[in-house]
Amino acid sequence: MIEKMIIGNKEFHIGRKPYVMGILNVTPDSFSDGGNYTDMDRALFHVQTMIEEGADIIDVGGESTRPGHVPVSVQEEIERTCFVIEAIKERFSVPVSLDTYKYEVAKTGLAAGADMINDIWGLKWDDRMAALIAEHDVPCCLMHNRKVTEYADYLPDVIADLKESISIAEAAGIRPERIMTDPGIGFAKDTNQNLLLMNHLELLTKLGYPVLLGTSRKSMIGNVLNLPVSEREEGTIATSVLGLMKGCSFFRVHNVKANVRALKMTAAMLLGKL
């Protein structure tokens, strides 16, 4: 079991406390906050707010991955993300994660100062990605995803898919303490499959790597509660709390303040002390 990760200039002690990754979507079409932070000043103000609210990492994304999204060109994604990464690193000491599965975007983002790569395809989209991450010796998040959504045996298949991603990482020379996994809630799964996986997140923690949970405002919550994106905060908090109880270490969210408070309270109860 990995007990410590170093991301940027910060140590993360796995299992001792939960860590929150604040989402910064510099996109015009993300499902929850598209268009809100495409202006540099607004983006940086939002980063400052998230840090003040307790964000441990900022995750910068330049392409929406919502269902039905329109992919953007590599150059456009670079232009959306890299100037923002540079500006964040100039002004703040917070670690910065780059949410991309594209080699060229990752390469440019790392040169701009990104401390981590968050790959929604678990290194399977571009076979150059793993070597790039190994060369720069930065952490990566390997998310579960697949192009074909049919499963022979759902939960074992998810774990097998993640093990494939881990094998790709290790074969490329990415050190174990540089790897975290993500169940990929909302990706290649229907609502019932998402709910089942949420109830068995301990299957991921048993792989021995820290787990990042990204459920914030997703359609699973909307479908269960019959609520629009703007009213899914309580549902998101419920998923964060369950995730912590199941052993997840990192939580990728839009509303940093609410989730930090809920996770801190949950952690105190699980530990039986402050």
Side-chain angles (χ1 to χ4, degrees):
M1 176 66 70
I2 304 301
E3 296 183 351
K4 182 175 76 172
M5 291 191 78
I6 298 175
I7 306 174
N9 59 1
K10 185 170 182 177
E11 291 186 354
F12 294 82
H13 297 277
I14 309 306
R16 292 191 191 176
K17 61 165 286 187
Y19 297 101
V20 170
M21 175 184 279
I23 298 170
L24 179 66
N25 283 322
V26 286
T27 57
D29 58 345
S30 289
F31 79 97
S32 175
D33 54 2
N36 288 356
Y37 308 114
T38 52
D39 174 79
M40 180 69 80
D41 288 340
R42 292 178 68 184
L44 292 174
F45 181 77
H46 186 51
V47 170
Q48 181 177 338
T49 300
M50 289 193 289
I51 293 170
E52 291 171 351
E53 292 175 346
D56 300 288
I57 309 170
I58 301 298
D59 190 48
V60 177
E63 177 181 274
S64 172
T65 53
R66 63 183 172 81
H69 76 283
V70 178
V72 300
S73 69
V74 166
Q75 188 57 40
E76 184 173 359
E77 190 175 341
I78 287 172
E79 290 174 358
R80 288 179 181 181
T81 57
C82 290
F83 294 118
V84 172
I85 291 170
E86 287 178 347
I88 294 171
K89 298 300 292 186
E90 286 174 3
R91 291 162 177 79
F92 308 104
S93 61
V94 67
V96 175
S97 166
L98 174 57
D99 182 357
T100 189
Y101 55 91
K102 300 172 185 174
Y103 169 83
E104 293 87 353
V105 178
K107 183 176 181 179
T108 310
L110 290 168
D115 302 298
M116 169 180 165
I117 299 299
N118 184 9
D119 186 345
I120 66 165
W121 283 100
L123 306 178
K124 296 177 183 179
W125 186 269
D126 192 317
D127 58 13
R128 298 172 294 171
M129 184 69 93
L132 176 70
I133 292 168
E135 177 188 346
H136 286 265
D137 193 27
V138 293
C140 58
C141 182
L142 311 180
M143 196 191 82
H144 176 264
N145 204 347
R146 53 162 56 190
K147 295 178 181 178
V148 179
T149 58
E150 291 82 14
Y151 298 88
D153 194 356
Y154 173 61
L155 290 175
D157 285 356
V158 169
I159 299 304
D161 290 347
L162 281 170
K163 286 181 176 179
E164 287 179 4
S165 290
I166 293 166
S167 295
I168 293 169
E170 292 178 339
I174 299 174
R175 294 186 289 144
E177 61 268 29
R178 293 302 206 186
I179 297 170
M180 66 175 73
T181 64
D182 180 335
I185 298 299
F187 290 82
K189 304 167 186 71
D190 61 28
T191 297
N192 286 333
Q193 289 170 332
N194 286 319
L195 292 170
L196 180 61
L197 186 53
M198 283 294 303
N199 197 32
H200 291 281
L201 289 171
E202 71 279 359
L203 295 176
L204 271 73
T205 61
K206 288 177 180 177
L207 293 175
Y209 300 90
V211 177
L212 181 148
L213 182 64
T215 55
S216 189
R217 303 176 182 173
K218 287 188 173 177
S219 59
M220 172 187 73
I221 298 166
N223 291 339
V224 170
L225 300 178
N226 193 27
L227 291 173
V229 171
S230 61
E231 296 183 38
R232 297 177 186 172
E233 292 305 338
E234 298 92 342
T236 298
I237 289 168
T239 62
S240 294
V241 168
L242 178 63
L244 183 58
M245 295 176 71
K246 292 284 187 177
C248 297
S249 301
F250 296 88
F251 301 83
R252 183 181 180 274
V253 301
H254 297 89
N255 188 328
V256 170
K257 181 190 289 185
N259 283 274
V260 164
R261 290 177 175 177
L263 287 165
K264 184 176 181 179
M265 188 68 219
T266 305
M269 291 186 290
L270 290 174
L271 294 171
K273 63 180 180 179
L274 286 175

